[in-house]
């Protein structure tokens, strides 16, 4: 069939598809027409070549007596670092930037191919709790690393809404600026790597084992920050924790919302297309509460993801079939499920909702959480909420730090996660520089570093 297309027409089609320069010097139609030529020369030869394959040592699991047995095997140590941050979501990002800027060798490892976690990948695009009320004045409490990140968004058109507080950001802008800040900090990055186990030295975590396309490898560190959100590292290391069930949803984005005829849709019974305002006028992100589920059960996660995606697709098709909604389309479903809570660390200080409500101050404050509506006082966050009760060599950051049931809904939000990540990174850096355990750091040194990096401590 391709023989019936003129050379000029074929080149036009290929050029429109982005292959113009590749085929510019090729007589494609003639080459395809030659006998024995199975397909059009692609031009990929310049960026394709075989490389020698070195067989890996293999230690496969075997069946012994009806049980699956994994034999002992040596693991390559691909890096030794001062601070290892596991998880590149809001908390992990801030921790890595803070530690690296403090001058210690920092490595951050993330299971996906981008930073931002549920903010960028989960499409939870609104940064809630950026502000609070102090002395009858609305002030920004998300400062330092998190505040700088939002400021970078403000310099680019359609990267962030102009809300006074709790702005919404464009997810691609967020990924880019996180990449930029991580790179500028000098931290070493390893993406596409899933933490699967820990390396222990007595009661201290001294490394983490990762699985990736490169195989099973380990990274050793003096201090580790667990920013996985689910507490995967402290759980693997044997720290005490609580586990919670919570609603698990799937966020999606709709396109051409500004082109919908709402009068016709309302007449048909669709009162609103819903969603949060985005910097891009034609796009809306739509949250989903979802049913209560176990975020640590892979079968449950699989079922929910497929069910949610089917529901979202069917819902948008119904809108498109309704007069007035023909131009609306499903732009994107989040590549990450909306997990809200799973494991919560048992720390040396459990921060309570009652303490937060009245803004209780602590001598070891390392950050301040904001108010969801910016109408009540900020809540100081004690360093003890990041510290495991007994486990050494590790700090927690993000939604999995030690809080009670009343405070879970506040702690899991983006702004507090950025704040606690900043605190954990700074504390890890001070521990390395002081050659001491995280639980033994001079908290005044940590607070000074945080203030020097622009953090708000109340």
């Amino acid at each position: 069939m391709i023989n019936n297309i003129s050379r000029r027409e074929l080149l036009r089609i290929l050029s429109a598809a982005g292959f113009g320069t590749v085929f510019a010097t090729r007589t494609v139609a003639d080459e395809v027409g030659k006998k024995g030529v199975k397909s059009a020369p692609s031009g990929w030869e310049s960026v394709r070549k075989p490389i020698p394959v070195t067989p890996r040592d293999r230690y496969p699991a075997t069946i012994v007596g009806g049980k699956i047995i994994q034999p002992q095997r040596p693991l390559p140590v691909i890096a030794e670092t001062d601070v290892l941050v596991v998880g590149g979501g809001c908390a992990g990002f801030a921790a890595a930037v803070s530690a690296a800027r403090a001058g210690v060798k920092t490595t951050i490892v993330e299971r996906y191919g981008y930073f931002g976690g549920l903010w960028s990948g989960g499409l939870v695009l609104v940064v809630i709790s950026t502000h609070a009320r102090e002395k009858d004045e609305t002030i920004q409490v998300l400062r330092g690393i998190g505040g700088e990140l939002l400021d970078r968004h403000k310099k680019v058109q359609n990267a962030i809404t102009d809300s006074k507080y709790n702005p919404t950001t464009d997810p691609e802008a967020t990924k880019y600026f996180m990449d930029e800040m991580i790179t500028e900090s000098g931290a070493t990055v390893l993406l596409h790597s899933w933490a699967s186990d820990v390396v222990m030295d007595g009661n201290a975590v001294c490394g983490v084992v990762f699985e990736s396309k490169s195989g099973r490898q380990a990274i050793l560190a003096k201090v580790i920050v667990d920013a996985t959100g689910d507490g995967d590292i402290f759980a693997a290391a044997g720290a005490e924790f609580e586990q919670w069930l919570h609603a698990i949803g799937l966020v999606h984005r709709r396109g051409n919302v500004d082109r919908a005829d709402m009068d016709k849709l309302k007449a048909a019974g669709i009162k609103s297309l819903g969603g949060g305002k985005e910097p891009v006028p034609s796009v809306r992100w739509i949250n989903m509460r979802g049913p209560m589920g176990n975020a640590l059960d892979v079968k449950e996660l699989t079922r929910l993801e497929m069910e949610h995606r089917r529901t979202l697709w069917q819902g948008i098709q119904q809108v498109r079939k309704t007069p007035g909604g023909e131009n609306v389309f499903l732009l994107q479903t989040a590549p990450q499920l909306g997990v809200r809570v799973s494991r919560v660390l048992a720390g040396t200080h459990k921060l309570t909702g009652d303490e937060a409500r009245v803004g209780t101050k602590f001598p070891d404050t390392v950050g301040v959480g904001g108010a969801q509506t910016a109408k009540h006082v900020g809540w100081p966050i004690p360093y003890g909420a990041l510290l495991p009760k007994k486990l050494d060599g590790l700090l927690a950051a993000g939604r999995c730090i030690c809080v009670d049931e009343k405070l879970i809904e506040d702690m899991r939000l983006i702004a507090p996660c950025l704040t606690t990540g900043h605190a954990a990174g700074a504390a890890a850096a001070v521990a390395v520089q002081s050659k001491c355990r995280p639980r033994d750091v001079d908290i005044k040194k940590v607070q000074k570093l945080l203030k020097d990096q622009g953090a708000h401590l109340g």
Side-chain angles (χ1 to χ4, degrees):
M1 188 173 185
I2 196 169
N3 288 323
N4 295 325
I5 301 177
S6 70
R7 182 185 308 168
R8 179 178 297 178
E9 178 63 12
L10 182 56
L11 287 173
R12 185 193 66 77
I13 294 171
L14 293 170
S15 177
F19 294 99
T21 56
V22 174
F23 287 92
T25 61
R26 302 275 185 168
T27 312
V28 180
D30 289 346
E31 290 291 331
V32 174
K34 286 182 179 179
K35 186 175 181 180
V37 177
K38 296 181 179 180
S39 60
S42 66
W44 291 110
E45 291 86 349
S46 63
V47 291
R48 180 189 70 216
K49 70 174 182 177
I51 61 173
V53 176
T54 303
R56 294 181 189 169
D57 292 331
R58 299 180 65 250
Y59 303 89
T62 58
I63 301 176
V64 180
K67 296 182 179 180
I68 308 298
I69 303 298
Q70 177 71 61
Q72 288 187 342
R73 55 173 166 168
L75 297 179
V77 177
I78 60 170
E80 294 188 33
T81 188
D82 291 331
V83 175
L84 172 60
V85 180
V86 186
C90 306
F93 155 79
V97 173
S98 175
R101 286 182 177 179
V104 301
K105 186 177 180 181
T106 303
T107 301
I108 180 169
V109 183
E110 163 59 34
R111 65 173 173 165
Y112 293 107
Y114 51 83
F115 294 115
L118 286 171
W119 183 8
S120 59
L123 302 180
V124 184
L125 305 181
V126 59
V127 187
I128 299 178
S129 295
T130 58
H131 288 64
R133 294 287 291 178
E134 287 188 11
K135 299 179 180 178
D136 296 324
E137 182 181 1
T138 300
I139 68 163
Q140 182 173 332
V141 296
L142 176 62
R143 303 184 196 175
I145 306 298
E148 178 185 336
L149 178 58
L150 293 183
D151 287 342
R152 294 198 183 201
H153 284 74
K154 294 174 184 177
K155 297 177 182 179
V156 176
Q157 185 177 7
N158 293 337
I160 191 170
T161 56
D162 58 359
S163 308
K164 183 178 179 181
Y165 57 87
N166 297 354
T168 299
T169 61
D170 175 76
E172 295 307 316
T174 300
K175 292 176 189 175
Y176 174 79
F177 291 125
M178 283 185 159
D179 281 356
E180 185 177 63
M181 290 177 67
I182 286 279
T183 300
E184 291 171 356
S185 76
T188 298
V189 177
L190 197 62
L191 302 176
H192 306 291
S193 300
W194 190 297
S196 58
D197 212 338
V198 294
V199 182
M200 301 292 294
D201 181 8
N203 188 52
V205 189
C206 61
V208 177
V209 177
F210 297 92
E211 299 279 1
S212 72
K213 288 293 184 180
S214 298
R216 192 173 174 89
Q217 302 171 319
I219 298 177
L220 301 181
K222 296 173 183 175
V223 178
I224 293 164
V225 176
D226 186 344
T228 61
D230 293 316
D232 292 333
I233 308 306
F234 66 64
E240 295 179 48
F241 64 87
E242 298 176 346
Q243 183 177 343
W244 289 86
L245 302 179
H246 205 302
I248 300 176
L250 184 66
V251 179
H252 73 287
R253 303 170 84 197
R254 295 176 176 178
N256 280 348
V257 173
D258 59 339
R259 301 183 185 182
D261 188 327
M262 289 310 303
D263 290 335
K264 290 183 179 180
L265 286 172
K266 289 177 181 178
I270 298 178
K271 297 181 179 180
S272 171
L273 291 177
K277 180 182 178 182
E278 290 201 33
V280 180
S282 61
V283 181
R284 294 289 184 274
W285 71 281
I286 317 294
N287 202 1
M288 175 195 280
R289 183 180 181 88
M292 183 171 65
N294 183 352
L296 304 180
D297 184 335
V298 69
K299 292 183 179 179
E300 181 86 338
L301 296 175
T302 300
R303 179 184 65 82
L304 287 172
E305 179 125 16
M306 296 180 71
E307 287 183 359
H308 288 343
R309 192 175 293 113
R310 181 173 62 252
T311 297
L312 296 179
W313 176 260
Q314 293 174 346
I316 204 72
Q317 297 312 308
Q318 186 61 43
V319 171
R320 288 170 61 84
K321 293 176 183 177
T322 305
E326 297 90 347
N327 292 322
V328 179
F329 66 97
L330 181 61
L331 175 64
Q332 181 184 18
T333 56
Q336 292 181 225
L337 269 174
V339 173
R340 291 172 169 88
V341 176
S342 55
R343 298 186 186 97
V344 175
L345 177 71
T348 61
H349 184 135
K350 176 177 279 191
L351 181 60
T352 69
D354 291 339
E355 289 173 327
R357 188 177 299 112
V358 296
T360 302
K361 300 183 183 302
F362 306 101
D364 62 343
T365 292
V366 288
V368 177
Q372 293 193 29
T373 60
K375 293 181 180 179
H376 63 70
V377 297
W379 37 285
I381 302 169
Y383 181 56
L386 282 60
L387 274 171
K389 284 183 177 180
K390 300 177 182 178
L391 190 69
D392 283 324
L394 181 141
L395 290 164
R399 70 175 187 240
C400 61
I401 73 167
C402 188
V403 296
D404 72 354
E405 181 179 3
K406 293 181 180 179
L407 202 55
I408 282 177
E409 303 304 329
D410 287 280
M411 187 58 252
R412 64 181 179 81
L413 300 173
I414 292 168
C417 286
L418 286 165
T419 297
T420 57
H422 189 175
V430 171
V432 168
Q433 292 166 339
S434 302
K435 298 181 180 179
C436 68
R437 301 179 302 175
R439 70 178 68 255
D440 297 327
V441 295
D442 183 340
I443 194 62
K444 293 189 182 302
K445 289 184 178 180
V446 177
Q447 292 168 332
K448 181 180 185 305
L449 175 57
L450 285 167
K451 289 178 180 178
D452 288 345
Q453 293 183 342
H456 175 63
L457 304 186

